[in-house]
């Protein structure tokens, strides 16, 4: 008779291992992806910066001119009231959302879509960014924070800039036990 393995304990679904999703403010995603607005630019205003317990980075609540409200990971150096844009012909500025094919090489980006319209799945943790390193026909090669290169379709969207919240690992540790716990958590990221 030994004790339960950690994976067996997690599988039971007790409150210790359950994510408190009832406390989350919402899902991070881009505005609706439709073909009619492919050639236009939609502007929006940052209404609020939110500290959500389900995300390491702060969230930005954006209301677009089309009355759509979305939550995205907040880029570094934005504030409430800033104007952001979304669309094919949006300018290349921090916080704007563009398709990968319209982003110049060497630009820092985050929250990349794996497939056009999926809302963003890659590069979403605090303080990181990916870089566009090349374009091959209708695909774009991106260098991820892990130094791995990934080829994505040119219609996949990404946000320009770096995600806010990059100083979270710089706070001092008070006890050796807290440091060990934080190192284990960092290795799981």
């Amino acid at each position: 008779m030994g004790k339960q393995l950690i994976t067996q304990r997690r599988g039971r679904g007790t409150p210790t291992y359950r994510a408190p999703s009832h406390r989350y403010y919402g899902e991070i995603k881009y505005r609706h992806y439709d073909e009619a607005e492919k050639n236009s630019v939609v502007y929006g205003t940052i209404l609020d910066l939110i500290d959500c317990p389900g995300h390491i980075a702060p969230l930005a609540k954006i209301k677009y001119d089309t009355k759509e409200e979305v939550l995205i990971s907040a880029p570094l150096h934005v504030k409430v009231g800033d104007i952001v844009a979304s669309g094919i012909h949006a300018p290349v500025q921090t916080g704007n959302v563009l398709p990968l094919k319209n982003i110049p090489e060497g630009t820092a980006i985050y929250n990349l879509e794996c497939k056009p319209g999926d809302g963003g799945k890659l590069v979403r943790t605090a303080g990181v960014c990916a870089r566009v390193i090349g374009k091959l026909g209708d695909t774009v090669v991106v260098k991820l924070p892990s130094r791995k290169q990934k080829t994505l379709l040119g219609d996949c969207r990404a946000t320009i800039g770096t995600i806010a919240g990059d100083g979270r690992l710089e706070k001092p540790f008070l006890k050796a036990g807290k440091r060990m716990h934080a190192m284990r958590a960092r290795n799981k990221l």
Side-chain angles (χ1 to χ4, degrees), residues 11-34:
R12 283 185 65 193
T14 61
T16 306
Y17 296 105
R18 213 177 287 155
S21 57
H22 62 281
R23 294 187 192 143
Y24 298 172
Y25 286 93
E27 184 183 357
I28 294 175
K29 59 182 178 180
Y30 290 130
R31 54 182 293 280
H32 188 65
Y33 194 85
D34 57 358

Side-chain angles (χ1 to χ4, degrees), residues 46 49 58 60 73-84 93-95 110 160-166:
I46 297 178
L49 296 174
S73 295
L76 206 56
H77 307 301
V78 296
K79 58 187 181 304
V80 175
D82 282 357
I83 305 294
V84 293
Q93 294 175 348
T94 301
Y110 70 91
I160 307 292
T162 304
I163 301 182
D166 61 341

Side-chain angles (χ1 to χ4, degrees), residues 14 24 27-29 39 54-55 61-64 72 74 85 101-102 118 122 127 154 160 167 180 185:
T14 61
Y24 298 172
E27 184 183 357
I28 294 175
K29 59 182 178 180
N39 294 325
H55 301 93
K61 185 176 185 179
I62 299 174
K63 184 171 187 175
Y64 287 101
I72 66 165
K101 63 185 176 187
N102 293 356
D118 71 4
L122 303 172
I160 307 292
M180 180 66 84

Side-chain angles (χ1 to χ4, degrees), residues 4-171:
Q4 271 187 326
L5 300 174
I6 192 77
T7 53
Q8 293 169 339
R9 281 185 40 91
R10 285 185 189 136
R12 283 185 65 193
T14 61
T16 306
Y17 296 105
R18 213 177 287 155
S21 57
H22 62 281
R23 294 187 192 143
Y24 298 172
Y25 286 93
E27 184 183 357
I28 294 175
K29 59 182 178 180
Y30 290 130
R31 54 182 293 280
H32 188 65
Y33 194 85
D34 57 358
E35 300 296 321
E37 295 177 358
K38 253 190 160 183
N39 294 325
S40 65
V41 177
V42 179
Y43 291 94
T45 306
I46 297 178
L47 299 178
D48 195 12
L49 296 174
I50 302 167
D51 182 24
C52 180
H55 301 93
I56 296 171
L59 303 181
K61 185 176 185 179
I62 299 174
K63 184 171 187 175
Y64 287 101
D65 294 340
T66 58
K67 307 294 184 220
E68 243 179 309
E69 284 190 16
V70 297
L71 286 174
I72 66 165
S73 295
L76 206 56
H77 307 301
V78 296
K79 58 187 181 304
V80 175
D82 282 357
I83 305 294
V84 293
S86 176
I88 278 193
H89 299 296
V92 181
Q93 294 175 348
T94 301
N96 290 355
V97 179
L98 286 92
L100 287 173
K101 63 185 176 187
N102 293 356
I103 299 174
E105 293 179 14
T107 306
I109 55 174
Y110 70 91
N111 197 22
L112 286 81
E113 292 182 329
C114 293
K115 298 174 189 165
D118 71 4
K121 303 292 180 199
L122 303 172
V123 191
R124 290 169 46 141
T125 193
V128 299
C129 68
R131 299 237 176 233
V132 176
I133 59 171
K135 298 180 183 180
L136 304 166
D138 61 342
T139 61
V140 177
V141 181
V142 176
K143 187 175 186 180
L144 300 174
S146 63
R147 308 287 187 263
K148 201 179 237 185
Q149 294 181 2
K150 190 159 180 77
T151 305
L152 300 166
L153 290 173
D155 289 331
C156 294
R157 294 177 288 180
T159 307
I160 307 292
T162 304
I163 301 182
D166 61 341
R168 68 186 174 85
L169 298 177
E170 295 171 6
K171 71 180 189 179

